[in-house]
Amino acid sequence: MVDRGEIARFYDRCSDLMRELLDALAAAPDQPRPFPEIEDGMGWPRRRIASVLGGVSHLRHTEFGGLRPYRFQDTKQSASGRWEMWVDPGQARAIHEARR
């Protein structure tokens, strides 16, 4: 997902926990990080990101054609060998704007 309006609409429609995750990702654009590192930085327990992503899955698929307002790599693609997430600078700007 790259359209600012679409990202803002996703931000508005998602859960508070998903917004918190997007805010944390937007604070460090272009920095792929494994889930545990993100969770530790947010003070979240392990596996919460997986739970949050599972909870937003229906919204992503029914309203946004499965698109994500973040970047994602699985264990085979990532440098760390773990699931990683990040936002690019454009997505980060859109998230910051949506927060206002």
Side-chain angles (χ1 to χ4, degrees):
M1 190 181 296
V2 295
D3 178 82
R4 284 182 172 180
E6 193 170 40
I7 292 171
R9 191 166 67 87
F10 183 93
Y11 191 90
D12 183 57
R13 298 275 299 125
C14 69
S15 69
D16 290 342
L17 289 173
M18 186 67 208
R19 278 191 289 276
E20 189 177 343
L21 175 58
L22 290 172
D23 291 342
L25 295 173
D30 265 350
Q31 294 182 15
R33 293 177 285 159
F35 287 14
E37 184 179 324
I38 298 166
E39 290 163 337
D40 289 349
M42 296 175 69
W44 280 9
R46 294 291 161 93
R47 298 187 177 87
R48 178 165 287 171
I49 288 177
S51 177
V52 170
L53 295 179
V56 79
S57 177
H58 182 15
L59 174 71
R60 275 193 324 102
H61 287 92
T62 58
E63 294 189 33
F64 299 94
L67 296 176
R68 298 176 172 106
Y70 52 87
R71 306 291 180 182
F72 182 76
Q73 293 186 114
D74 67 19
T75 58
K76 293 178 185 176
Q77 299 167 322
S78 71
S80 69
R82 304 192 76 166
W83 296 62
E84 294 180 345
M85 296 179 73
W86 74 98
V87 296
D88 63 40
Q91 290 169 320
R93 278 190 300 280
I95 292 165
H96 289 304
E97 289 171 4
R99 214 174 25 206
R100 296 180 193 157

